[in-house]
């Protein structure tokens, strides 16, 4: 594929960096056709933590090994241990110059070591005409793969998708033994990486005359209101072939068909007209399906399906980013790959819940940080309407951690990027690639050369999307030429350097590739209320007044100003949408602290106050009116207790026990005053605080109250869904909270609770969002944190119902029923 000319030279201000694209995928690994069989290896895996001699051999006795289901994270059940991956380091990215002992940096969970997995599979329809592909969508880490006792290959990067042609190693008439050895070394990550076969493993059986794996590439180079040109490139194996491509709309109606026998270098190219196209966007995530049928002498040899979207993207100097002709800002969040209490083992219902929460907040974009995303996450972003910044690496040739990706960069970077692009390029959600994050290679000309080398690989494999890098050493990238090489300069924090970077770099636009890093603990408030960097408290929590940040970062409001006032700032990706395991800044030298404080939502997925600050600005369709702090402050009577309101309205009046505290109106005197309403001189008295918000004409438009609660009385359960699938994988997330006799939430309750599950499902995990909690997630008891926690219930394979009861000493038991269906 040729790289478009715009990618081969830097643009000057006033010129347009233009990428037109309409597309893409969700590569269908889940359907089956008469000529192609796909076996997903989920059940009956045998697992052993530790190195074992001869575990790859067919005759090896694994009967005493643990039986697990894949995807699987061997470390998530703990226990949490201070000694795991304890590091004595200075974190250069954070500006540290002196080494200190770091605990909990990788989650304090036992991911280090060797793990073995074994399974068997049979292929009754296998013959000499068949080809067998073994696909891994992620294996943490350094997997070595054995089929029937013979090593067939290995891969180093734990986040990469990879596959092998195992045809010559298959036994046709007896079970085939698959063995996988994984090796996780210490000092290899800056966050919890997980461990094991944490994404899907599949066996694909097809004819030798077939469509290559990840062999389709769909773009839409021309789009108008009445017509879209869909360009399809399809790589195949075989001779004297014909390809028939059929495009169907979201209702399954055929809208276009094309047949061709013209092939060059084993690749078909088709240009297909779609009339009156429905365009993909976050507001209207419309998906088409392309079905590819490959014939040899009029005999069907292969058939696959690909979902794609028709959409067009442009990046223009001075103007910014546009989608389908509409100027659009990225209202994005960064996400690590763990799913909190269930670890890194991929689960689509958990991912879907995250995206539902972010959609309500008004987010329209996700950045996979700092690694390749799961295919399931991309499928959901296609369906639910999120633009996606797909990232590849956290390290290049220069190390951040002793055993990081730099060990493999020179030999593996190109093939890892190729697999990333080929596996995911048909997803309409992906609008940009990232080749790295805060790499130490930002200094010097060699780093600039590496940036260009990586970018050229992305361009070669996908000429339709730009490439960025998250840069934290902005001054260095100005001096070295590193920033000028990139299609899109990405700035991590450094709000004070945006103007200078804009003037220095030739592209005429800036992306906030990583922003804010504000820290807070859900429901925890500290006094006095003041802005502070790297603030620490005796309880190892951070204040939810949202005024505390890290030494390198800032409060959200400073980024809002840049996004709103500078058309050349094309958007932001906030660090982070959800808390994640590991990296407990600013308490990474304290114990116990084992997860982050950065999240807009906590580790359980419960919104922090900051969620409503972002929602008030990002969700332009729905009303936001949120008051903080809670109003239970026994012992603080008559002391200053500021009240903040996050709202989509511009002004509001506050009442404390019926007495007006005055009207506050948003203004531009400071970034905080521009986006928050703040009453700084309120003194605490128990009772009721009420806020009345006004519309633009000064009329009362909405109101909200918070009351002082009495003693905890009963438990209240609320499930995110009333019905889940009876597939043995689907999850219901049940929020458990405590109220007093009048139904008022008790925001400081810390009762120890117990969970019981009956019926057609199991207790999966629990999480309270407390970064200092050492209670294991998988044991059916946990303390409340700030009056709440979340219980995860998993279906089994039988339709029926699941009953959850939650009890605590002195509390009225709470119950909920969840239905399961096929």
């Amino acid at each position: 594929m040729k790289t478009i000319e715009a990618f081969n030279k830097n643009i000057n201000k006033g010129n347009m960096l233009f990428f037109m694209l309409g597309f893409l995928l969700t590569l269908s690994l889940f359907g089956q056709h008469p000529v192609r069989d796909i076996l997903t290896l989920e059940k009956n895996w045998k697992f052993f933590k530790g190195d074992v001699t001869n575990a790859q051999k067919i005759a090896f006795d694994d009967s005493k090994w643990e039986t697990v289901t894949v995807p699987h994270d061997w470390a998530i059940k703990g226990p949490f241990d201070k000694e795991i991956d304890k590091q004595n380091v200075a974190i250069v990215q954070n500006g540290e110059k002196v080494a200190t002992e770091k605990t909990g940096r990788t989650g304090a969970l036992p991911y280090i070591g060797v793990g073995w997995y074994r399974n068997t599979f049979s292929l009754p329809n296998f013959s000499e005409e068949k080809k067998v592909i073994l696909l891994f969508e992620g294996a943490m880490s350094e997997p070595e793969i054995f089929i029937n006792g013979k090593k067939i290959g290995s891969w180093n990067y734990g986040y990469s998708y990879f596959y092998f042609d195992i045809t010559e190693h298959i036994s046709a008439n007896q079970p085939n033994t698959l063995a996988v050895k994984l090796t996780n070394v210490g000092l290899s990550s800056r966050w919890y990486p997980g461990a094991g076969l944490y994404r899907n493993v599949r066996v694909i059986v097809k004819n030798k005359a077939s469509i290559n794996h990840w062999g389709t590439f769909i773009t839409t180079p021309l789009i108008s209101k009445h017509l879209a040109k869909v360009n399809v490139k399809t790589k195949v194996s075989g001779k004297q072939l014909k390809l028939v491509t059929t495009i169907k709309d979201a209702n399954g109606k055929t809208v276009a068909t094309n047949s061709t026998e013209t092939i060059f270098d084993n690749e078909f190219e088709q240009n297909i007209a779609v009339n009156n196209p429905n365009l993909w966007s976050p507001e209207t995530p419309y998906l088409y399906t392309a079905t590819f049928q490959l014939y040899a002498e009029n005999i069907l040899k292969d058939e696959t399906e690909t979902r794609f979207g028709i959409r067009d993207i442009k990046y223009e100097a001075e103007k910014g980013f546009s989608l389908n002709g509409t100027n659009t800002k990225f209202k994005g969040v960064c996400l690590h790959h763990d799913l909190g209490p269930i670890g890194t083992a991929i689960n689509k219902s958990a991912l879907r819940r995250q995206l539902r929460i972010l959609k309500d907040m008004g987010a329209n974009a996700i950045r996979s940080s700092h690694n390749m995303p799961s295919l399931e996450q991309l499928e959901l972003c296609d369906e639910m309407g999120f633009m996606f910044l797909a990232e590849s690496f956290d390290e290049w040739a220069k190390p951040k951690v002793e055993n990081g990706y730099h060990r493999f960069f020179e030999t593996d970077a190109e093939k890892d990027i190729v697999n990333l692009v080929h596996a995911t390029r048909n997803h309409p959600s992906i609008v940009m690639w990232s080749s790295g994050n805060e790499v130490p290679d930002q200094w010097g000309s060699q780093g600039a050369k590496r940036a260009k080398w990586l970018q050229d690989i992305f361009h070669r494999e996908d000429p339709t999307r730009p490439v960025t890098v998250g840069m934290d050493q902005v001054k260095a990238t100005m001096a070295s030429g590193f920033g000028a090489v990139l299609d899109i300069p990405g700035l991590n924090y450094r709000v004070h350097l945006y103007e200078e970077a804009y003037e220095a770099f030739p592209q005429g636009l800036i992306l906030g590739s990583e922003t804010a890093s504000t820290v807070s603990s859900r429901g925890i408030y500290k006094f006095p209320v003041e802005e502070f960097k790297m603030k620490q408290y005796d309880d190892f929590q951070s204040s939810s007044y949202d005024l505390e940040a890290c030494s390198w970062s800032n409060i959200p409001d400073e980024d809002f100003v840049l996004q709103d006032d500078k058309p050349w700032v094309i958007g932001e990706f906030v660090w982070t949408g959800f808390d994640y395991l590991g990296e407990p800044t600013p308490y990474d030298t304290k114990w116990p602290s084992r997860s982050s404080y950065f999240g807009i939502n906590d580790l359980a997925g419960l919104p922090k106050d900051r969620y409503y600050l972002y929602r008030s600005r990002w969700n332009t369709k729905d009303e936001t009116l949120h008051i903080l702090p809670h109003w239970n402050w026994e012992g603080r009577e008559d002391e200053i207790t500021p009240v903040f309101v996050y709202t989509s309205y511009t002004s509001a009046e506050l009442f404390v026990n019926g007495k007006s505290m005055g009207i506050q109106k948003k203004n531009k005197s400071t970034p905080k005053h521009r986006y928050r309403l703040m009453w700084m001189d309120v003194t605490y008295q128990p009772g009721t605080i009420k806020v009345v918000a006004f519309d633009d004409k000064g009329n009362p438009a909405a109101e909200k109250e918070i009351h002082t609660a009495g003693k905890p009385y009963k438990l209240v359960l609320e499930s995110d869904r009333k019905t889940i699938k009876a597939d043995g994988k689907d999850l219901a997330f049940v929020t458990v909270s405590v109220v007093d006799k009048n139904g008022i939430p008790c925001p400081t309750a810390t009762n120890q609770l117990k969970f019981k599950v009956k019926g057609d499902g199991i207790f999966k995990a629990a999480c309270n969002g407390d970064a200092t909690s050492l209670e294991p997630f998988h044991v059916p008891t946990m303390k409340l944190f700030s009056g709440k926690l979340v219980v995860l219930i998993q279906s089994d394979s039988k339709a029926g119902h699941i009953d959850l009861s939650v009890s605590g000493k002195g509390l009225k038991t709470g119950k909920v029923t969840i239905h399961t269906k096929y």
Side-chain angles (χ1 to χ4, degrees):
M1 279 174 267
K2 294 182 179 179
T3 301
I4 63 175
E5 186 177 357
F7 281 146
N8 289 331
K9 56 186 178 181
N10 291 313
I11 61 170
N12 295 315
K13 291 180 183 176
N15 294 333
M16 177 174 67
L17 176 58
F18 175 85
F19 308 100
M20 182 173 283
L21 155 64
F23 321 177
L24 303 4
L25 161 117
T26 299
L27 186 65
S28 178
L29 294 177
F30 303 96
Q32 290 194 353
H33 300 282
V35 291
R36 177 182 282 234
D37 292 316
I38 300 151
L39 174 64
T40 300
L41 300 179
E42 296 179 295
K43 306 292 186 182
N44 302 317
W45 284 90
K46 291 292 186 176
F47 167 72
F48 182 81
K49 173 72 182 297
D51 204 357
V52 183
T53 303
N54 297 324
Q56 79 277 13
K57 293 186 177 299
I58 297 174
F60 182 84
D61 182 7
D62 58 18
S63 61
K64 294 183 180 180
W65 287 14
E66 181 184 3
T67 301
V68 300
T69 298
V70 167
H72 177 247
D73 182 344
W74 82 52
I76 191 59
K77 291 185 178 181
F80 295 106
D81 187 340
K82 175 183 177 180
E83 300 302 315
I84 293 175
D85 206 17
K86 185 169 65 177
Q87 304 177 21
N88 190 56
V89 295
I91 302 175
V92 176
Q93 312 89 276
N94 298 357
E96 296 179 3
K97 299 184 183 301
V98 178
T100 55
E101 181 181 280
K102 303 295 194 298
T103 58
R105 194 182 185 197
T106 52
L109 289 166
Y111 76 93
I112 299 171
V114 172
W116 277 91
Y117 290 83
R118 286 170 54 89
N119 207 340
T120 60
F121 60 92
S122 298
L123 302 177
N125 297 323
F126 181 75
S127 68
E128 292 183 357
E129 298 299 317
K130 297 292 183 179
K131 177 188 296 185
V132 183
I133 299 295
L134 177 61
L135 169 67
F136 291 84
E137 295 177 5
M140 191 63 68
S141 60
E142 302 180 40
E144 300 173 60
I145 315 300
F146 303 86
I147 293 289
N148 296 325
K150 183 176 181 180
K151 185 174 181 178
I152 54 108
S154 60
W155 208 271
N156 290 317
Y157 194 32
Y159 294 107
S160 191
Y161 339 96
F162 61 94
Y163 66 91
F164 299 106
D165 184 335
I166 60 171
T167 308
E168 65 183 56
H169 305 289
I170 289 298
S171 298
N173 300 315
Q174 61 187 24
N176 294 275
T177 299
L178 168 62
V180 182
K181 180 183 179 182
L182 299 172
T183 304
N184 282 347
V185 295
L187 302 175
S188 59
S189 181
R190 300 190 299 119
W191 56 86
Y192 175 64
L197 296 176
Y198 71 105
R199 293 178 183 168
N200 282 303
V201 180
R202 308 187 198 274
V203 178
I204 302 167
V205 184
K206 57 184 181 177
N207 289 313
K208 289 184 178 178
S210 59
I211 297 166
N212 291 4
H213 193 65
W214 302 330
T216 60
F217 186 22
I218 307 175
T219 62
T220 53
L222 294 172
I223 301 173
S224 70
K225 181 178 180 181
H226 302 293
L227 184 69
K229 175 184 176 181
V230 179
N231 178 267
V232 184
K233 295 181 176 68
T234 307
K235 285 191 174 293
V236 298
S237 299
K239 297 180 179 180
Q240 297 181 331
L241 302 172
K242 179 175 71 173
L243 181 67
V244 177
T245 300
T246 303
I247 296 176
K248 295 182 179 180
D249 65 16
N251 296 317
K253 179 182 177 182
T254 297
V255 295
T257 302
N258 182 276
S259 175
T260 181
E261 297 180 38
T262 302
I263 189 169
F264 296 96
D265 193 24
N266 295 317
E267 182 178 83
F268 291 104
E269 182 169 1
Q270 298 165 291
N271 288 302
I272 306 171
V274 174
N275 294 316
N276 304 313
N278 293 289
L279 302 188
W280 186 95
S281 72
E283 296 74 26
T284 58
Y286 194 94
L287 295 173
Y288 291 86
T289 300
T291 300
F292 304 95
Q293 294 176 308
L294 189 69
Y295 292 88
E297 298 179 350
N298 293 320
I299 298 173
L300 181 65
K301 291 294 185 179
D302 198 11
E303 182 175 354
T304 66
E305 287 183 353
T306 298
R307 288 194 307 173
F308 70 99
I310 296 174
R311 58 109 171 104
D312 140 269
I313 59 174
K314 296 178 185 177
Y315 295 82
E316 300 176 86
E318 317 302 336
K319 296 180 181 179
F321 169 74
S322 63
L323 175 67
N324 301 328
T326 301
N327 189 266
T328 302
K329 296 270 189 174
F330 293 110
K331 299 183 292 186
V333 301
C334 300
L335 291 181
H336 269 316
H337 69 305
D338 79 70
L339 295 167
I342 59 174
T344 60
I346 201 68
N347 182 281
K348 204 165 184 178
S349 58
L351 287 168
R352 192 186 299 275
R353 174 183 179 246
Q354 283 192 339
L355 294 179
R356 282 200 303 263
I357 292 168
L358 294 174
K359 180 67 81 168
D360 178 72
M361 189 176 73
N364 66 6
I366 307 293
R367 175 191 179 209
S368 63
S369 312
H370 303 290
N371 46 261
M372 300 172 180
S374 69
L375 300 182
E376 289 86 351
Q377 187 178 41
L378 294 173
E379 290 164 8
L380 288 170
C381 287
D382 291 345
E383 295 170 9
M384 299 175 70
F386 286 89
M387 297 178 289
F388 207 93
L389 171 50
E391 195 153 86
S392 51
F393 310 123
D394 188 53
E395 274 188 9
W396 292 353
K398 293 186 177 181
K400 292 183 185 179
V401 289
E402 183 177 320
N403 294 313
Y405 186 75
H406 68 274
R407 293 179 294 151
F408 314 119
F409 179 80
E410 297 293 346
T411 56
D412 291 12
E414 181 169 7
K415 70 177 184 178
D416 283 330
I417 288 176
V418 168
N419 280 15
L420 167 64
V421 175
H422 286 193
T424 68
R425 61 189 173 184
N426 290 330
H427 285 279
S429 52
I430 297 179
V431 295
M432 196 185 309
W433 305 109
S434 170
S435 61
N437 171 72
E438 297 183 359
V439 293
D441 312 67
Q442 289 168 90
W443 287 271
S445 61
Q446 188 61 45
K449 292 176 181 177
R450 289 189 186 115
K452 185 179 185 305
W453 175 67
L454 293 170
Q455 186 166 270
D456 286 346
I457 297 170
F458 275 106
H459 291 169
R460 183 191 72 206
E461 303 302 325
D462 174 18
T464 66
R465 297 179 179 90
V467 181
T468 190
V469 171
M471 301 182 293
D472 62 330
Q473 304 302 319
V474 180
K475 290 281 192 179
T477 64
M478 292 179 190
S480 68
F482 186 107
V485 166
L486 304 174
D487 297 328
I488 307 293
L491 266 61
N492 285 8
Y493 317 106
R494 310 303 186 262
V495 290
H496 61 289
L497 292 176
Y498 269 55
E499 292 275 6
E500 186 176 350
Y502 168 65
E503 293 296 330
F505 295 143
Q507 296 90 338
L509 45 77
I510 296 289
L511 170 68
S513 46
E514 193 168 311
T515 63
S517 269
T518 306
V519 291
S520 62
S521 303
R522 178 181 55 79
I524 302 296
Y525 306 92
K526 302 295 186 179
F527 304 97
V529 176
E530 57 186 349
E531 284 191 56
F532 216 102
K533 298 290 182 75
M534 301 300 286
K535 183 70 172 179
Q536 295 186 354
Y537 301 94
D538 291 341
D539 61 357
F540 303 163
Q541 305 292 349
S542 295
S543 178
S544 201
Y545 275 105
D546 302 321
L547 293 175
E548 296 174 4
C550 301
S551 58
W552 66 89
S553 63
N554 52 272
I555 61 175
D557 318 61
E558 296 178 15
D559 288 296
F560 293 168
V561 171
L562 290 165
Q563 305 300 324
D564 288 346
D565 293 355
K566 307 297 182 183
W568 43 267
V569 177
I570 65 175
E572 66 171 318
F573 290 87
V574 181
W575 192 262
T576 52
F578 292 81
D579 278 332
Y580 54 94
L581 292 162
E583 210 170 24
T585 310
Y587 295 107
D588 51 6
T589 61
K590 307 293 183 180
W591 182 259
S593 285
R594 47 70 171 152
S595 58
S596 77
Y597 299 78
F598 298 118
I600 296 171
N601 301 275
D602 71 15
L603 197 70
L606 295 172
K608 302 179 185 179
D609 291 293
R610 197 164 1 119
Y611 174 92
Y612 299 97
L613 178 59
Y614 283 97
R615 190 181 192 274
S616 69
R617 180 174 172 270
W618 283 358
N619 185 336
T620 58
K621 294 181 179 180
D622 300 312
E623 168 195 289
T624 298
L625 185 58
H626 177 75
I627 308 171
L628 65 135
H630 61 71
W631 212 238
N632 273 56
W633 296 106
E634 185 177 357
R636 283 192 59 82
E637 289 78 7
D638 298 322
E639 293 189 42
I640 295 294
T641 307
V643 175
F644 288 9
V645 170
Y646 299 156
T647 181
S648 48
Y649 297 99
T650 58
S651 64
E653 185 173 8
L654 177 69
F655 298 87
V656 178
N657 294 326
K659 182 180 178 181
S660 175
M661 298 291 106
I663 295 174
Q664 293 288 338
K665 187 173 184 178
K666 293 175 184 176
N667 62 79
K668 293 187 177 182
S669 61
T670 69
K672 296 192 302 292
H673 286 88
R674 185 169 174 177
Y675 299 101
R676 316 179 191 207
L677 300 177
M678 300 178 290
W679 289 261
M680 300 301 295
D681 298 325
V682 177
T683 57
Y684 174 68
Q685 288 295 334
T688 300
I689 56 175
K690 181 174 78 170
V691 65
V692 178
F694 303 107
D695 63 20
D696 292 340
K697 296 181 180 180
N699 299 315
E703 65 177 58
K704 190 170 186 178
E705 294 183 355
I706 293 179
H707 307 278
T708 303
K711 293 182 179 180
Y713 173 68
K714 71 174 181 178
L715 295 164
V716 177
L717 277 57
E718 183 179 0
S719 179
D720 68 330
R721 291 187 295 158
K722 295 181 180 179
T723 303
I724 62 177
K725 294 180 181 179
D727 61 2
K729 294 181 281 188
D730 209 1
L731 297 174
F733 291 79
V734 181
T735 300
V736 181
S737 55
V738 182
V739 298
D740 67 9
K741 285 186 176 182
N742 297 316
I744 298 170
C746 300
T748 61
T750 58
N751 305 64
Q752 188 79 37
L753 305 184
K754 295 181 179 180
F755 322 120
K756 291 184 179 180
V757 175
K758 295 181 179 180
D760 303 303
I762 61 170
F763 167 80
K764 178 69 173 179
C767 185
N768 61 15
D770 180 3
T772 70
S773 173
L774 300 182
E775 292 184 276
F777 299 124
H778 68 288
V779 175
T781 180
M782 185 168 283
K783 290 181 70 172
L784 292 161
F785 178 67
S786 294
K788 292 186 177 183
L789 56 75
V790 174
V791 178
L792 286 67
I793 303 301
Q794 182 174 290
S795 66
D796 60 24
S797 56
K798 181 181 177 183
H801 65 273
I802 309 169
D803 295 318
L804 167 67
S805 64
V806 182
S807 61
K809 186 176 181 180
L811 297 173
K812 188 175 180 180
T813 297
K815 298 181 179 180
V816 69
T817 297
I818 299 153
H819 299 281
T820 64
K821 67 177 184 179
Y822 296 122

